[in-house]
Amino acid sequence: MMIRRTTLLAATALALSVAGCANGGGGPAEPVGAPAPQAPASSAVPTEETSTPVDTSTRTISGTISAGVEPGCLMLDDNLLIIRDEKLRPAAKDGASVTVTGRSQPGTMTTCMQGTPFVVTSIRAN
């Protein structure tokens, strides 16, 4: 009977210490439903990288379309062509010499894994 009591005490002590580690290693537990701590607002001066606006003005690019590294992805120079208008798709083929008009949209999520997304609004063969 003495061994069982010792085992029970050891198991209880282990469970309590694991519960303390799960709480971040000390300090009182946060109440359930308490708001997460907020980081203080930064008063740092914006860096050039964050303060430089992204150029999303309409641009025209000419060149030869090439296939991207992923199936269905088309590249023109370092631009990933995003063609949302189905009427424009027939002119956009690998190897086609074209002039496209549209806007760069960095940050747009794609599965192509390369290039700067460029949303095409018009395309014509050269």
Side-chain angles (χ1 to χ4, degrees):
M1 186 80 160
M2 188 64 147
I3 293 175
R4 289 185 185 170
R5 228 179 253 175
T6 305
T7 304
L8 179 62
L9 288 172
T12 303
L14 178 63
L16 290 173
S17 67
V18 169
C21 290
N23 185 33
E30 292 288 329
V32 175
Q38 298 289 325
S42 174
S43 61
V45 176
T47 64
E48 185 175 328
E49 180 179 284
T50 59
S51 62
T52 303
V54 175
D55 180 16
T56 58
S57 59
T58 301
R59 296 188 303 139
T60 300
I61 306 169
S62 295
T64 302
I65 295 176
S66 61
V69 295
E70 296 292 330
C73 299
L74 298 174
M75 301 293 299
L76 184 60
D77 296 332
D78 290 332
N79 297 287
L80 170 65
L81 300 181
I82 308 292
I83 303 171
R84 295 179 176 150
D85 184 347
E86 293 298 321
K87 296 174 192 168
L88 302 178
R89 285 195 187 277
K93 301 285 183 210
D94 183 19
S97 178
V98 297
T99 297
V100 297
T101 302
R103 293 176 183 240
S104 290
Q105 291 196 341
T108 300
M109 293 181 66
T110 72
T111 59
C112 293
M113 300 190 186
Q114 71 183 115
T116 301
F118 186 85
V119 178
V120 176
T121 55
S122 72
I123 185 169
R124 67 176 169 80
N126 290 343

